[in-house]
Amino acid sequence: MTGAVSGRVDIRSGTGRIATGPVPGVLLILAAWEAGGRLLTEAFVLAAPSEVAAYLVQEWALMLRALGATLGNAAAGFAIGNLAAVALAGIALIWPRAERVVTGLALFVFCLPLVATGPILRVFFGPGAGPQIALAALAVYYTTLIPLLVGLRAAPDSWFDLVHSYGRGRLAALVHVRAMAALPYLFAGLQIAAPAAFLGAMVGEFTGAERGMGVLTIRAIRALDVEMTWALATVATAVSILAYLAIGSLARRILLEAPPVILAAPPAAGGHRSAAWVDGMLVLAVALGLWAGAIRVFDLNPFFAKGPGDVFTALVLAPDAADTRAAIGEALAETAVFLLPGYLAGLVAGAGLAVLLVLVPAVAGIAMPLAIALRSVPIVTTAPLVVLLLGRGATGTITLVAVMVFFPTFVACLQGLRQAPGQIMAVLDSYAAGPLTRLVRVRIPAMLPAFFASARMAVPASILAVTVVEWLATGSGIGSLMALSASLSDYDMLWSAVVLVAALSALGYGAVGWAERRVLARYAPEQIA
Amino acid sequence: MAPEDTTPPPKVVCTALAKTFGGGTEAVRPIDLTFAAGRTTALVGPSGCGKSTLLRMIAGLEPPSAGTIEIGGAPPAETRRRAGLSMAFQDPSLLPWRSVRGNIELALRLARCRVAQSEIEQLIALVGLDGFADTRPAELSGGMRQRAAMARALATRPGLLLLDEPFGAVDELTRSQLAQDLPRIWQARGTTTILVTHSVSEAVCLSDRVIVLSARPAEIVDDIRIDLDRPRLETTARSDAAALLIDRVFAALASGMAAARPPVAAQ
Ligand SMILES: Nc1ncnc2c1ncn2[C@@H]1O[C@H](COP(=O)(O)OP(=O)(O)OP(=O)(O)O)[C@@H](O)[C@H]1O
Ligand SMILES: [Mg+2]
């Protein structure tokens, strides 16, 4: 039904002649960082690597305890989230008609702003590790589910014919063919999920945990402790990259090759428009039912557990509904000013740099492995740094959103550009086409699906980034409104904001998917079939 | 290779068998065909005429739109359940994460069939892949993959062997070598074999009977008994008797193509 948008990156040989690995890039960054740190000592924004190292040596016990707590929560969330993803994929497999509803519902939950679900979960769970684990699970299940669904359909029919020709049924096909064919995709999902779980756990800790990296981060920001802020971000980055590489090497050991660089499943091809509407309404109905049902079943306190009816009342029927709507609308408008430029800048920079690098392959050899590694960095954990560096104004927030969008887009586009079909390139070569013609005629169309897939996934990611910065640093926009409502126990406002943000996020995802189908139908029709 | 532990070769009877695909493509017109037990029958016909479809229906992988199939008196599903048939597909369908040996072992496992390791080695050598037993398909050429798929099909000692252009991507020389070696196995075992091929000389030299099909939808144009002596050697293909038969097949193919041009011209 839908083809996988995937490719493989082989760091050892895939980069061609200049396979230098990430070492030169890392050294370059370290040198620039150290120089910057030395120059800016007076400004209290940047700690040089040497200062970070000194801090880590001095405070290792504190850091280690915090890291242990966060890692434990992240690991628990990682396990739960991935099990949920496998279970959901299983449902979609056993009952294919449910797939659209499963993925639609999963997307909607993925679009819930962690900034608001964190405080709500904190009220539900009380003190302890509950919210951290839940947020870590929420951060990972979607990034695993989507590649897994692609992978489970990645086997050609003839492999199933083989199994059936020996008189065996769906179970044998699942064990011997489907599961094996899906493994590389599962690993690709897990690889992205590992750092995401760490990020989820940290955001959970922002909501008032006792221990962990997130707790220290909040403390460092409040105290304007530059060294501590940088040290925490460095540790978070290092842990994420290590987790990413560890899963990658495990995959290579098991699969004897690097897992595919997965983006996301292409949206279901047009098909019956009415069916899509029916599915959409079904997703909405199921979501509302689960929401109301959960409150009923767990018998949650109506003071903070607002149901769909309460939110409708708060937004439409209540005497102060107009005020609520105005407050949310104003906050959303403030956020949009940061979000849209950052999102677009990230997309343009990612795709643009990828195109540039293809024209200068020597640089690509250095940039690609570095970008793949940096893609795994939970950018949001570096939010305090960006704000330190660029201030609490528009520049800092926009930059953070742009960076959040940049890395996945860049890696995906570079991958797409590389994937240009060799045979078509050979045909163009035979006409002695120049590099520019090849770029425009073959490579960019080949890049489009990857570009759009990452543009779609970047919608919830950029909303996460912008709301976290607003919450932690700038104190404006919807992120701040949600944090404020949580601390004021204005749960009508909080739930209304959550619902609207999730709905807008899902709509944005859908809008990019719509644009994707139109553009692909025109420039790369073979990609949607 | 002891013939006594293989199931006795079945007779395959197709009665009024027809297939029209969902989209309205009529691939096979109602057709009556009987494949004698233990014999090799070749199916030749123009590309897209429905040969693969016919074979897949016999294997029970494609439900017929009309008509019935009996393999040794039982429906295909029953035969498959007993692992009584195996099929070499037009595209080799090797699982890429398993080596040549691994692919063969998987087939044996699926067919719940136990075979000595030495027999697997023998088969691999027979298809000319010695030294490649532990190689994965991605590192094999197209023809090597087809030969691996062939070894896999033979490994489970099926009573009914369905071969869909098993040597399509193999070079002429290797092809004629395989065409001499492999039939010895299935003939020694007395396997009922249905072979789809585009090579007319291969069809004549390998089989006891050649059925020529018209362009889509497939109908029988000619049904030719091949009574060349066995074992057939390289020289067989160049004998006068073979040349006559080959001419006859070509003539039938040509008339099948011509007949298909006006919609329903065949009698
Ligand atoms: N799954 C399918 N759905 C619809 N039409 C099909 C399907 N499989 C085959 N066909 C059609 O049925 C006809 C016969 O196909 P088939 O594969 O049996 O041909 P063939 O004789 O094996 O050709 P070739 O020699 O090229 O392999 C073709 O016109 C093809 O388009
Ligand atoms: Mg065919």
Side-chain angles (χ1 to χ4, degrees), chain A residues 100 275-285:
Chain A
R100 283 243 215 149
W277 269 109
V278 170
D279 283 340
M281 299 316 281
L282 206 61
V283 169
L284 199 63

Side-chain angles (χ1 to χ4, degrees), chain A residues 155 158-168 172 175-178 180-181 254-257, chain B residues 56 61 80-81 85-86 89 91 93-97 106-107 109-112 136 152-153 156:
Chain A
S158 62
W159 295 356
F160 296 106
D161 284 346
L162 178 75
V163 174
H164 298 320
S165 73
Y166 290 111
R168 304 295 291 272
V175 172
H176 294 295
V177 173
R178 233 188 252 283
M180 292 301 293
I254 293 178
L255 308 171
L256 303 177
E257 62 191 326
Chain B
R56 289 170 54 79
L61 296 172
R80 281 189 299 156
R81 213 167 302 130
L85 64 84
S86 70
F89 296 88
D91 86 278
S93 304
L94 299 169
L95 301 179
W97 54 85
L106 177 67
R109 204 153 127 205
L110 289 171
R112 299 197 170 95
R136 292 183 187 221
R152 177 177 64 186
T156 54

Side-chain angles (χ1 to χ4, degrees), chain B residues 21 25 27 46-54 62 90 165 198 216:
Chain B
F21 282 104
T25 309
S47 176
C49 74
K51 303 180 295 294
S52 296
T53 307
L54 188 59
E62 195 85 68
Q90 195 164 358
E165 290 182 48
H198 279 301
R216 189 179 66 81

Side-chain angles (χ1 to χ4, degrees), chain B residues 239-251:
Chain B
S239 67
D240 289 341
L244 274 173
L245 289 165
I246 287 172
D247 282 348
R248 188 170 159 197
V249 175
F250 269 118

